[in-house]
Amino acid sequence: MSYETAVARMFALGHELAGLTPSHKFDLAHMRVLLQAMDHPERRFPSVLIAGTNGKGSTAATLASILRASGLKTGLYTSPHLVRINERIRVNGKEIRDDEFASLHGDVDRVAERLEERAELPWHPSFFEMMTAIGFEYFAREKVDLAVLEVGMGGRLDATNVVEPRVSVITDISLDHQKFLGNTVGEIAREKVGIIRPGGVVVTLPQQPEANDVIGNTILELGARAVNAVSYVPPVSPGSSKYLVLSTAPSNPRWIYRYPLAVLGEQFLVETSLVGRHQLRNVALAIAAAAELSEQGFGGITAKSIESGIRETRWPGRLQVIAGRPGWPEMVLDVAHNPAGAWALRSALSERYEDRPLIFIFGAMRDKAISEMTEILFPLADRVIATRPENPRAASTKEIRQAAARTGVEIEAVDNVGRALERARVLASAGTVVVVTGSIYLVGEVIRKVGAEV
């Protein structure tokens, strides 16, 4: 099977949430049947499992970079992807090759079809279950020292939650995917804490009271050990702005956070290109997880490797800045796709671009909290262009306008993303910053069109 055919067959399975009920999407028994038939690849490597509403991808990328800098062969499994499906599965920072993906897809698909024929599975595994099985098999064959796994959605019944993690990490919890996870922060938190194991280790930070109660009670009930990452967070508000500096690297000038920190008995200077106050929390979670893994005997993790790993972390589409060039304004790409993400973006824009005119290009999936997101973000904008990414779940420009009616902001509708980019370029005056946000699918499409680095 060719790579193109493998990818087409994956996407033919449909979006992992579209049209599914929670009972259909979430059934770990089916995932376990598939993995058993594959000789349990998930048991052939140690792992860290990361759940949360926002920040789990950034935390996973940072931790994987730290482990790689520590000399450990490191797997990283994340979702969704920005441009290519291969981004989801990486070893030592390198995406799975096309031929490897095609081969593994064929192997897993044949196992799944055989299980269906024998009625051991009631239906073919979902897109995400297939991706997860391919990722697990790849990490097992590559004999990774450790794999960092980002939960797709929720935690308790997510396909990744079949592993026995050495460390569980819970990032910030807020409202998202209510159809599947619950209508309150407490209900959603109960899904996230499903990744905590009896007697296991969980790294987290204080957050909303509802979430804190659920996390704390679960830790007590399961006899787990809590690792609080708060000692690795510098003063977040209002002091964090003093840590934001312009990197002087001549080949790649960019905004970074720089602040002193003591880890594993040594003090060093943290430098991270993941900016926005919320990222200080994500970096802290990654540091705490790395320190815990060091205590568990994973060799090579030192203060120096943690410093190096943080500095080398790249996680595109998260407040990613594309410098202005002749005929094009500076652009900021951010995958904020729920109210908490919108608040984080608003805070970062206020911190970095307070005196600059902003043009927003906004597109979102129709099942998202579009009204709340637009009320948070649009008041910052001088102009707003609503557009529609190439995704069947995407809201129309008319739906975005209706959802944003209470903002009172004039919204220009440009259905095609490429034309929306061109319109923003024409409207931009000196000093204007174009902000692309609302959906990871929109950001991915823009990255493809402008040729930005992934």
Side-chain angles (χ1 to χ4, degrees):
M1 185 184 299
S2 71
Y3 170 76
E4 291 75 17
T5 301
V7 171
R9 290 190 61 164
M10 285 293 292
F11 286 130
L13 295 171
H15 188 273
E16 49 220 60
L17 303 184
L20 297 179
T21 65
S23 60
H24 186 150
K25 162 65 182 170
F26 298 127
D27 193 329
L28 288 188
H30 297 164
M31 189 67 187
R32 290 191 173 109
V33 167
L34 176 62
L35 294 174
Q36 180 178 10
M38 295 169 57
D39 194 26
H40 288 294
E42 81 284 5
R43 297 179 183 175
R44 287 182 261 146
F45 55 87
S47 61
V48 174
L49 192 54
I50 302 178
T53 305
N54 291 303
K56 58 186 185 290
S58 298
T59 303
T62 304
L63 177 58
S65 184
I66 289 170
L67 298 176
R68 192 164 69 248
S70 303
L72 295 166
K73 189 173 187 179
T74 306
L76 175 62
Y77 179 66
T78 58
S79 61
H81 58 274
L82 281 167
V83 177
R84 301 180 78 236
I85 203 169
N86 308 51
E87 296 167 33
R88 297 172 179 241
I89 302 171
R90 307 179 191 223
V91 170
N92 280 351
K94 295 181 179 178
E95 298 173 7
I96 184 172
R97 294 199 320 263
D98 291 359
D99 59 337
E100 292 169 324
F101 183 87
S103 175
L104 283 170
H105 171 271
D107 292 346
V108 176
D109 200 45
R110 282 188 291 274
V111 171
E113 288 177 350
R114 187 169 68 248
L115 293 169
E116 276 190 276
E117 289 169 2
R118 296 175 180 172
E120 294 177 49
L121 282 179
W123 47 67
H124 194 282
S126 70
F127 176 96
F128 190 71
E129 288 165 339
M130 286 289 293
M131 280 299 311
T132 304
I134 291 168
F136 287 171
E137 182 65 26
Y138 184 59
F139 296 151
R141 292 185 186 185
E142 287 289 307
K143 296 181 172 57
V144 298
D145 296 317
L146 195 60
V148 180
L149 310 174
E150 178 192 358
V151 166
M153 186 177 71
R156 182 174 64 93
L157 296 175
D158 188 79
T160 59
N161 199 32
V162 294
V163 300
E164 290 299 323
R166 301 294 289 268
V167 176
S168 301
V169 181
I170 297 180
T171 67
D172 289 344
I173 298 171
S174 60
L175 294 176
D176 200 6
H177 294 303
Q178 288 98 310
K179 174 184 174 183
F180 294 91
L181 303 180
N183 293 315
T184 68
V185 168
E187 289 175 346
I188 293 172
R190 277 188 280 278
E191 295 297 321
K192 308 293 185 184
V193 297
I195 70 165
I196 301 174
R197 298 293 185 264
V201 179
V202 56
V203 174
T204 192
L205 280 167
Q207 44 184 299
Q208 296 185 57
E210 276 187 272
N212 286 339
D213 288 346
V214 173
I215 295 169
N217 288 334
T218 302
I219 289 170
L220 289 173
E221 289 166 7
L222 296 178
R225 177 164 59 86
V227 175
N228 192 339
V230 73
S231 61
Y232 303 122
V233 183
V236 173
S237 182
S240 66
S241 59
K242 70 182 179 183
Y243 303 123
L244 188 64
V245 299
L246 190 62
S247 167
T248 55
S251 60
N252 189 20
R254 65 190 191 281
W255 289 99
I256 61 171
Y257 276 128
R258 181 184 291 144
Y259 51 94
L261 202 65
V263 181
L264 297 178
E266 295 184 38
Q267 183 150 336
F268 62 86
L269 207 59
V270 172
E271 286 191 359
T272 175
S273 59
L274 295 177
V275 296
R277 294 175 185 176
H278 58 296
Q279 293 289 12
L280 298 174
R281 293 172 59 84
N282 299 330
V283 170
L285 289 167
I287 293 171
E292 170 60 28
L293 290 166
S294 176
E295 294 293 325
Q296 290 188 18
F298 285 90
I301 302 174
T302 64
K304 185 173 180 59
S305 70
I306 291 173
E307 175 187 21
S308 177
I310 294 170
R311 188 173 58 249
E312 293 167 6
T313 302
R314 299 292 179 267
W315 195 227
R318 284 74 181 173
L319 277 171
Q320 180 178 357
V321 178
I322 300 176
R325 59 191 192 276
W328 282 91
E330 182 176 341
M331 298 177 68
V332 174
L333 313 180
D334 192 77
V335 300
H337 60 273
N338 55 38
W343 277 118
L345 173 58
R346 177 173 176 148
S347 173
L349 292 172
S350 299
E351 190 174 38
R352 294 175 58 186
Y353 298 110
E354 186 178 12
D355 301 321
R356 303 270 296 274
L358 303 178
I359 294 176
F360 274 75
I361 299 176
F362 182 88
M365 300 299 103
R366 64 167 53 91
D367 58 337
K368 295 295 184 176
I370 299 175
S371 293
E372 291 90 334
M373 293 164 63
T374 58
E375 288 171 17
I376 293 163
L377 292 172
F378 286 9
L380 297 181
D382 292 75
R383 300 288 294 263
V384 174
I385 301 170
T387 192
R388 185 174 191 170
E390 293 177 357
N391 187 292
R393 291 170 53 231
S396 69
T397 54
K398 181 179 179 180
E399 287 170 323
I400 292 172
R401 276 176 152 173
Q402 290 172 340
R406 288 188 298 181
T407 66
V409 175
E410 184 178 345
I411 301 169
E412 183 175 348
V414 182
D415 284 327
N416 178 275
V417 172
R419 287 197 295 270
L421 275 169
E422 179 60 24
R423 180 62 177 154
R425 186 185 71 81
V426 170
L427 291 172
S429 56
T432 295
V433 178
V434 174
V435 180
V436 179
T437 192
S439 169
I440 192 167
Y441 300 102
L442 172 62
V443 171
E445 196 169 332
V446 168
I447 284 175
R448 288 194 300 272
K449 291 183 181 301
V450 302
E453 179 185 355
V454 176

